[in-house]
Amino acid sequence: VCLCMKPGMDLEARQGDSELLGDAYFHVDFMEGGRKVKPDRWPDFPFYSEVTEISFFDQTTQRILALLDQSDRSDASTANEELLTAEYLFKGLMMDLLQTHRKLQTGGTPLHHERVISLALNALFADSRRFRSVAELAEYCGYSEGHFRSLCLKITGDPPSKLLIKARIEKAKKYLRYSDLSIGMIADALGYEHVYYFSRQFRASTGMTAVDYRKRCREIGETS
């Protein structure tokens, strides 16, 4: 898969013993008139896309990474050529990915709907307190609640209620990892009326209590 993430997004992935994860990542800036474009003005691009030609995608990303590495060790003129080649390869890879994404749309969902849902989910995961209900997410998209539920399930595979919980839990993980806020304070910051309800959702989503999650993160930090 290919994930196109904006600043502030925080995802976690798990791997099995027989299916190990590998990754290649690129940090990019969008430029306009010689200046960087702020993330909220970046062009729309599918957040999540499946890669069908895995060997092509893998070989191309490896070639791009090799060129970037070579440019760091080359003289100025050669480095510029290597960087330019890497840039064109990256653009071509993204164009191919976008075309593949459009061809593989399932259920006849128009690309417009995918963009709207993607923007809504970006906004949700950027600020989990912005939306308190599925109805508010639907209103943000300009859809009826029923239509939004149907589109969200078709496009993401999850009902919007599950995504609302996931966004809050992901934010909670950040608080637990990087702050000393109490569990009650975190629950309040995320908009939960009762800490018990937050604790129950956190355990159901992660398989452990918020206290155990914080303890594990700090143990890992101390030994890394």
Side-chain angles (χ1 to χ4, degrees), residues 128-129 132 167-199 201-202 209-211 213-215 218:
S128 59
R129 291 201 63 175
R132 299 295 186 92
R168 286 185 173 186
I169 298 304
E170 291 302 316
K171 187 67 172 180
K173 288 179 179 178
K174 288 186 180 181
Y175 281 131
L176 291 166
R177 285 199 299 266
Y178 305 123
S179 81
D180 293 320
L181 293 175
S182 69
I183 305 303
M185 293 171 69
I186 292 174
D188 183 64
L190 294 173
Y192 285 91
E193 294 183 4
H194 303 288
V195 65
Y196 170 75
Y197 188 48
F198 161 70
S199 298
Q201 281 194 348
F202 189 91
T209 66
V211 173
Y213 180 84
R214 170 175 273 170
K215 182 179 179 181
R218 293 184 176 179

Short mmCIF file of all heavy atoms in Angstrom, two decimals, residues 128-129 132 167-199 201-202 209-211 213-215 218:
data_model
loop_
_atom_site.label_atom_id
_atom_site.label_comp_id
_atom_site.label_asym_id
_atom_site.label_seq_id
_atom_site.Cartn_x
_atom_site.Cartn_y
_atom_site.Cartn_z
N SER A 128 -9.16 15.44 16.71
CA SER A 128 -10.22 14.48 17.05
C SER A 128 -11.38 15.13 17.81
O SER A 128 -12.47 14.56 17.89
CB SER A 128 -9.65 13.32 17.88
OG SER A 128 -9.06 13.81 19.07
N ARG A 129 -11.17 16.33 18.36
CA ARG A 129 -12.25 17.00 19.10
C ARG A 129 -13.13 17.84 18.18
O ARG A 129 -14.16 18.36 18.62
CB ARG A 129 -11.69 17.90 20.20
CG ARG A 129 -11.04 17.14 21.34
CD ARG A 129 -10.96 17.98 22.58
NE ARG A 129 -12.29 18.34 23.08
CZ ARG A 129 -12.52 18.99 24.21
NH1 ARG A 129 -11.50 19.37 24.97
NH2 ARG A 129 -13.74 19.28 24.60
N ARG A 132 -17.82 15.60 17.07
CA ARG A 132 -18.30 14.82 18.21
C ARG A 132 -19.23 13.68 17.77
O ARG A 132 -19.54 12.81 18.57
CB ARG A 132 -19.05 15.73 19.19
CG ARG A 132 -18.20 16.85 19.79
CD ARG A 132 -17.09 16.29 20.64
NE ARG A 132 -16.36 17.32 21.33
CZ ARG A 132 -16.65 17.75 22.56
NH1 ARG A 132 -17.67 17.21 23.21
NH2 ARG A 132 -15.93 18.69 23.13
N ALA A 167 -9.91 7.79 15.90
CA ALA A 167 -9.22 9.09 15.92
C ALA A 167 -8.96 9.52 17.37
O ALA A 167 -7.88 10.03 17.70
CB ALA A 167 -10.06 10.14 15.21
N ARG A 168 -9.93 9.32 18.23
CA ARG A 168 -9.75 9.69 19.64
C ARG A 168 -8.68 8.82 20.30
O ARG A 168 -7.85 9.31 21.08
CB ARG A 168 -11.07 9.53 20.39
CG ARG A 168 -12.08 10.63 20.09
CD ARG A 168 -13.30 10.45 20.97
NE ARG A 168 -14.24 11.56 20.84
CZ ARG A 168 -15.33 11.70 21.58
NH1 ARG A 168 -15.64 10.78 22.47
NH2 ARG A 168 -16.13 12.73 21.42
N ILE A 169 -8.71 7.52 20.02
CA ILE A 169 -7.75 6.61 20.63
C ILE A 169 -6.33 6.93 20.15
O ILE A 169 -5.37 6.88 20.94
CB ILE A 169 -8.10 5.15 20.32
CG1 ILE A 169 -9.47 4.79 20.91
CG2 ILE A 169 -7.03 4.21 20.86
CD1 ILE A 169 -9.61 5.03 22.40
N GLU A 170 -6.17 7.26 18.87
CA GLU A 170 -4.85 7.62 18.36
C GLU A 170 -4.33 8.87 19.05
O GLU A 170 -3.15 8.98 19.37
CB GLU A 170 -4.91 7.84 16.84
CG GLU A 170 -5.14 6.57 16.04
CD GLU A 170 -4.08 5.52 16.29
OE1 GLU A 170 -2.88 5.88 16.31
OE2 GLU A 170 -4.44 4.36 16.49
N LYS A 171 -5.22 9.84 19.28
CA LYS A 171 -4.82 11.06 20.00
C LYS A 171 -4.47 10.72 21.44
O LYS A 171 -3.51 11.26 22.01
CB LYS A 171 -5.96 12.08 19.95
CG LYS A 171 -5.59 13.44 20.52
CD LYS A 171 -4.56 14.14 19.66
CE LYS A 171 -4.32 15.57 20.12
NZ LYS A 171 -3.33 16.27 19.28
N ALA A 172 -5.24 9.83 22.05
CA ALA A 172 -4.97 9.42 23.42
C ALA A 172 -3.58 8.78 23.53
O ALA A 172 -2.86 9.01 24.50
CB ALA A 172 -6.04 8.44 23.89
N LYS A 173 -3.20 7.99 22.54
CA LYS A 173 -1.88 7.36 22.55
C LYS A 173 -0.78 8.41 22.57
O LYS A 173 0.25 8.23 23.25
CB LYS A 173 -1.73 6.45 21.33
CG LYS A 173 -2.56 5.17 21.38
CD LYS A 173 -2.35 4.37 20.10
CE LYS A 173 -3.14 3.08 20.12
NZ LYS A 173 -2.96 2.32 18.85
N LYS A 174 -0.97 9.50 21.84
CA LYS A 174 0.02 10.57 21.83
C LYS A 174 0.15 11.18 23.22
O LYS A 174 1.25 11.43 23.72
CB LYS A 174 -0.36 11.64 20.82
CG LYS A 174 -0.18 11.24 19.37
CD LYS A 174 -0.46 12.42 18.46
CE LYS A 174 -0.29 12.07 17.00
NZ LYS A 174 -0.53 13.23 16.11
N TYR A 175 -0.99 11.47 23.84
CA TYR A 175 -0.97 12.03 25.19
C TYR A 175 -0.26 11.08 26.16
O TYR A 175 0.54 11.51 27.00
CB TYR A 175 -2.40 12.27 25.69
CG TYR A 175 -3.06 13.52 25.15
CD1 TYR A 175 -4.35 13.47 24.61
CD2 TYR A 175 -2.42 14.76 25.19
CE1 TYR A 175 -4.98 14.60 24.13
CE2 TYR A 175 -3.03 15.90 24.71
CZ TYR A 175 -4.32 15.82 24.18
OH TYR A 175 -4.93 16.95 23.71
N LEU A 176 -0.55 9.80 26.05
CA LEU A 176 0.04 8.82 26.96
C LEU A 176 1.54 8.68 26.74
O LEU A 176 2.30 8.47 27.69
CB LEU A 176 -0.65 7.46 26.78
CG LEU A 176 -2.11 7.40 27.25
CD1 LEU A 176 -2.78 6.14 26.73
CD2 LEU A 176 -2.18 7.44 28.77
N ARG A 177 1.97 8.79 25.48
CA ARG A 177 3.40 8.65 25.18
C ARG A 177 4.19 9.90 25.54
O ARG A 177 5.31 9.81 26.05
CB ARG A 177 3.60 8.34 23.69
CG ARG A 177 3.25 6.94 23.29
CD ARG A 177 3.88 6.57 21.95
NE ARG A 177 3.43 7.42 20.86
CZ ARG A 177 2.43 7.13 20.05
NH1 ARG A 177 1.75 6.00 20.22
NH2 ARG A 177 2.07 7.94 19.08
N TYR A 178 3.63 11.07 25.25
CA TYR A 178 4.43 12.29 25.29
C TYR A 178 4.04 13.28 26.37
O TYR A 178 4.63 14.36 26.44
CB TYR A 178 4.35 13.00 23.93
CG TYR A 178 4.74 12.10 22.77
CD1 TYR A 178 3.85 11.87 21.71
CD2 TYR A 178 5.98 11.47 22.73
CE1 TYR A 178 4.20 11.05 20.65
CE2 TYR A 178 6.34 10.66 21.67
CZ TYR A 178 5.45 10.45 20.63
OH TYR A 178 5.80 9.63 19.58
N SER A 179 3.08 12.97 27.22
CA SER A 179 2.69 13.90 28.27
C SER A 179 2.57 13.17 29.60
O SER A 179 2.57 11.94 29.66
CB SER A 179 1.36 14.57 27.94
OG SER A 179 0.26 13.74 28.26
N ASP A 180 2.45 13.96 30.66
CA ASP A 180 2.24 13.40 32.00
C ASP A 180 0.82 13.64 32.48
O ASP A 180 0.54 13.55 33.68
CB ASP A 180 3.23 14.04 32.99
CG ASP A 180 4.68 13.64 32.70
OD1 ASP A 180 4.90 12.45 32.38
OD2 ASP A 180 5.56 14.50 32.78
N LEU A 181 -0.09 13.94 31.57
CA LEU A 181 -1.48 14.16 31.94
C LEU A 181 -2.06 12.88 32.54
O LEU A 181 -1.74 11.78 32.10
CB LEU A 181 -2.30 14.56 30.72
CG LEU A 181 -2.00 15.92 30.08
CD1 LEU A 181 -2.83 16.10 28.81
CD2 LEU A 181 -2.28 17.06 31.05
N SER A 182 -2.92 13.04 33.53
CA SER A 182 -3.58 11.89 34.12
C SER A 182 -4.58 11.30 33.12
O SER A 182 -4.95 11.95 32.14
CB SER A 182 -4.31 12.30 35.40
OG SER A 182 -5.42 13.13 35.08
N ILE A 183 -5.01 10.07 33.39
CA ILE A 183 -5.97 9.41 32.50
C ILE A 183 -7.27 10.23 32.44
O ILE A 183 -7.86 10.40 31.38
CB ILE A 183 -6.27 7.98 32.98
CG1 ILE A 183 -4.97 7.17 33.11
CG2 ILE A 183 -7.24 7.29 32.01
CD1 ILE A 183 -4.15 7.10 31.85
N GLY A 184 -7.69 10.76 33.59
CA GLY A 184 -8.90 11.57 33.62
C GLY A 184 -8.76 12.84 32.81
O GLY A 184 -9.70 13.25 32.11
N MET A 185 -7.59 13.47 32.88
CA MET A 185 -7.36 14.70 32.12
C MET A 185 -7.34 14.42 30.62
O MET A 185 -7.82 15.21 29.82
CB MET A 185 -6.05 15.35 32.57
CG MET A 185 -6.07 15.87 34.00
SD MET A 185 -4.44 16.40 34.60
CE MET A 185 -4.18 17.86 33.58
N ILE A 186 -6.78 13.28 30.24
CA ILE A 186 -6.75 12.90 28.83
C ILE A 186 -8.16 12.66 28.32
O ILE A 186 -8.54 13.11 27.23
CB ILE A 186 -5.87 11.66 28.62
CG1 ILE A 186 -4.40 12.00 28.89
CG2 ILE A 186 -6.04 11.10 27.21
CD1 ILE A 186 -3.47 10.81 28.85
N ALA A 187 -8.94 11.93 29.11
CA ALA A 187 -10.33 11.67 28.73
C ALA A 187 -11.09 12.97 28.54
O ALA A 187 -11.85 13.13 27.57
CB ALA A 187 -11.01 10.80 29.78
N ASP A 188 -10.87 13.92 29.43
CA ASP A 188 -11.55 15.21 29.34
C ASP A 188 -11.08 15.98 28.10
O ASP A 188 -11.88 16.61 27.40
CB ASP A 188 -11.27 16.02 30.60
CG ASP A 188 -12.00 17.36 30.61
OD1 ASP A 188 -13.25 17.35 30.62
OD2 ASP A 188 -11.33 18.40 30.58
N ALA A 189 -9.77 15.93 27.82
CA ALA A 189 -9.22 16.64 26.67
C ALA A 189 -9.77 16.11 25.36
O ALA A 189 -9.88 16.84 24.37
CB ALA A 189 -7.69 16.54 26.67
N LEU A 190 -10.14 14.83 25.35
CA LEU A 190 -10.66 14.20 24.14
C LEU A 190 -12.18 14.32 24.03
O LEU A 190 -12.77 13.85 23.06
CB LEU A 190 -10.26 12.73 24.11
CG LEU A 190 -8.75 12.46 23.99
CD1 LEU A 190 -8.47 10.98 24.14
CD2 LEU A 190 -8.21 12.98 22.67
N GLY A 191 -12.80 14.94 25.02
CA GLY A 191 -14.24 15.17 24.94
C GLY A 191 -15.10 14.08 25.54
O GLY A 191 -16.31 14.07 25.33
N TYR A 192 -14.48 13.15 26.29
CA TYR A 192 -15.27 12.11 26.95
C TYR A 192 -15.92 12.68 28.21
O TYR A 192 -15.27 13.39 28.99
CB TYR A 192 -14.39 10.93 27.34
CG TYR A 192 -13.99 10.05 26.19
CD1 TYR A 192 -12.80 10.28 25.50
CD2 TYR A 192 -14.77 8.97 25.80
CE1 TYR A 192 -12.41 9.47 24.44
CE2 TYR A 192 -14.39 8.15 24.74
CZ TYR A 192 -13.22 8.41 24.07
OH TYR A 192 -12.84 7.60 23.02
N GLU A 193 -17.18 12.37 28.41
CA GLU A 193 -17.87 12.85 29.60
C GLU A 193 -17.48 12.04 30.83
O GLU A 193 -17.52 12.57 31.95
CB GLU A 193 -19.39 12.78 29.39
CG GLU A 193 -19.90 13.73 28.30
CD GLU A 193 -21.41 13.69 28.18
OE1 GLU A 193 -22.05 12.99 29.00
OE2 GLU A 193 -21.95 14.36 27.28
N HIS A 194 -17.12 10.78 30.63
CA HIS A 194 -16.76 9.92 31.76
C HIS A 194 -15.46 9.19 31.46
O HIS A 194 -15.30 8.62 30.38
CB HIS A 194 -17.87 8.90 32.06
CG HIS A 194 -19.20 9.53 32.34
ND1 HIS A 194 -19.46 10.21 33.50
CD2 HIS A 194 -20.34 9.59 31.60
CE1 HIS A 194 -20.70 10.67 33.48
NE2 HIS A 194 -21.26 10.30 32.33
N VAL A 195 -14.53 9.20 32.41
CA VAL A 195 -13.25 8.53 32.22
C VAL A 195 -13.45 7.03 32.05
O VAL A 195 -12.68 6.36 31.33
CB VAL A 195 -12.30 8.83 33.40
CG1 VAL A 195 -12.84 8.23 34.70
CG2 VAL A 195 -10.90 8.30 33.10
N TYR A 196 -14.48 6.47 32.66
CA TYR A 196 -14.76 5.03 32.54
C TYR A 196 -15.05 4.67 31.09
O TYR A 196 -14.58 3.64 30.59
CB TYR A 196 -15.94 4.65 33.43
CG TYR A 196 -16.44 3.24 33.18
CD1 TYR A 196 -15.73 2.13 33.67
CD2 TYR A 196 -17.59 3.00 32.44
CE1 TYR A 196 -16.18 0.84 33.43
CE2 TYR A 196 -18.04 1.71 32.20
CZ TYR A 196 -17.33 0.64 32.70
OH TYR A 196 -17.78 -0.63 32.45
N TYR A 197 -15.82 5.51 30.41
CA TYR A 197 -16.17 5.25 29.01
C TYR A 197 -14.92 5.30 28.14
O TYR A 197 -14.73 4.46 27.25
CB TYR A 197 -17.21 6.27 28.55
CG TYR A 197 -17.79 5.98 27.19
CD1 TYR A 197 -18.26 4.72 26.87
CD2 TYR A 197 -17.89 6.98 26.23
CE1 TYR A 197 -18.80 4.44 25.62
CE2 TYR A 197 -18.42 6.73 24.98
CZ TYR A 197 -18.88 5.46 24.68
OH TYR A 197 -19.41 5.20 23.44
N PHE A 198 -14.05 6.27 28.41
CA PHE A 198 -12.79 6.36 27.67
C PHE A 198 -11.94 5.12 27.91
O PHE A 198 -11.40 4.52 26.97
CB PHE A 198 -12.01 7.61 28.09
CG PHE A 198 -10.55 7.55 27.74
CD1 PHE A 198 -10.13 7.62 26.42
CD2 PHE A 198 -9.59 7.40 28.73
CE1 PHE A 198 -8.78 7.54 26.09
CE2 PHE A 198 -8.24 7.32 28.42
CZ PHE A 198 -7.83 7.39 27.09
N SER A 199 -11.81 4.72 29.18
CA SER A 199 -10.97 3.57 29.53
C SER A 199 -11.48 2.30 28.86
O SER A 199 -10.70 1.48 28.37
CB SER A 199 -10.95 3.38 31.05
OG SER A 199 -10.38 4.51 31.68
N GLN A 201 -13.24 2.10 26.00
CA GLN A 201 -12.97 2.17 24.57
C GLN A 201 -11.49 1.96 24.28
O GLN A 201 -11.13 1.30 23.29
CB GLN A 201 -13.43 3.53 24.01
CG GLN A 201 -14.91 3.62 23.76
CD GLN A 201 -15.27 4.82 22.89
OE1 GLN A 201 -14.46 5.72 22.66
NE2 GLN A 201 -16.50 4.84 22.42
N PHE A 202 -10.63 2.51 25.13
CA PHE A 202 -9.19 2.37 24.90
C PHE A 202 -8.79 0.90 24.99
O PHE A 202 -8.03 0.40 24.15
CB PHE A 202 -8.40 3.19 25.92
CG PHE A 202 -6.93 3.27 25.62
CD1 PHE A 202 -6.42 4.31 24.84
CD2 PHE A 202 -6.04 2.30 26.06
CE1 PHE A 202 -5.08 4.37 24.53
CE2 PHE A 202 -4.69 2.36 25.76
CZ PHE A 202 -4.21 3.40 25.00
N THR A 209 -4.98 -1.56 29.04
CA THR A 209 -5.48 -0.34 29.68
C THR A 209 -4.58 0.83 29.31
O THR A 209 -3.43 0.64 28.87
CB THR A 209 -5.49 -0.48 31.21
OG1 THR A 209 -4.13 -0.59 31.69
CG2 THR A 209 -6.28 -1.70 31.64
N ALA A 210 -5.09 2.03 29.50
CA ALA A 210 -4.30 3.23 29.21
C ALA A 210 -3.05 3.29 30.09
O ALA A 210 -1.97 3.69 29.65
CB ALA A 210 -5.15 4.48 29.41
N VAL A 211 -3.19 2.88 31.35
CA VAL A 211 -2.04 2.87 32.27
C VAL A 211 -0.97 1.90 31.78
O VAL A 211 0.23 2.22 31.76
CB VAL A 211 -2.50 2.48 33.69
CG1 VAL A 211 -1.29 2.29 34.61
CG2 VAL A 211 -3.42 3.55 34.26
N TYR A 213 -0.54 0.87 28.70
CA TYR A 213 0.03 1.37 27.45
C TYR A 213 1.12 2.41 27.74
O TYR A 213 2.20 2.37 27.15
CB TYR A 213 -1.07 2.00 26.60
CG TYR A 213 -0.57 2.56 25.28
CD1 TYR A 213 -0.42 1.74 24.17
CD2 TYR A 213 -0.24 3.91 25.17
CE1 TYR A 213 0.06 2.23 22.97
CE2 TYR A 213 0.23 4.42 23.96
CZ TYR A 213 0.39 3.58 22.87
OH TYR A 213 0.87 4.09 21.70
N ARG A 214 0.84 3.32 28.65
CA ARG A 214 1.84 4.35 29.02
C ARG A 214 3.09 3.69 29.61
O ARG A 214 4.22 4.06 29.27
CB ARG A 214 1.23 5.34 30.00
CG ARG A 214 2.25 6.30 30.63
CD ARG A 214 1.55 7.33 31.50
NE ARG A 214 1.14 8.46 30.68
CZ ARG A 214 0.34 9.44 31.12
NH1 ARG A 214 -0.16 9.37 32.35
NH2 ARG A 214 0.04 10.46 30.34
N LYS A 215 2.88 2.70 30.48
CA LYS A 215 4.00 2.01 31.11
C LYS A 215 4.85 1.31 30.06
O LYS A 215 6.08 1.38 30.10
CB LYS A 215 3.47 1.01 32.13
CG LYS A 215 4.56 0.26 32.88
CD LYS A 215 3.96 -0.71 33.89
CE LYS A 215 5.06 -1.49 34.63
NZ LYS A 215 4.49 -2.44 35.61
N ARG A 218 6.98 3.80 28.00
CA ARG A 218 8.11 4.33 28.76
C ARG A 218 9.19 3.28 28.97
O ARG A 218 10.38 3.61 28.97
CB ARG A 218 7.62 4.91 30.07
CG ARG A 218 6.75 6.14 29.84
CD ARG A 218 6.31 6.83 31.08
NE ARG A 218 5.57 8.05 30.73
CZ ARG A 218 5.03 8.88 31.59
NH1 ARG A 218 5.11 8.64 32.88
NH2 ARG A 218 4.39 9.97 31.18
#
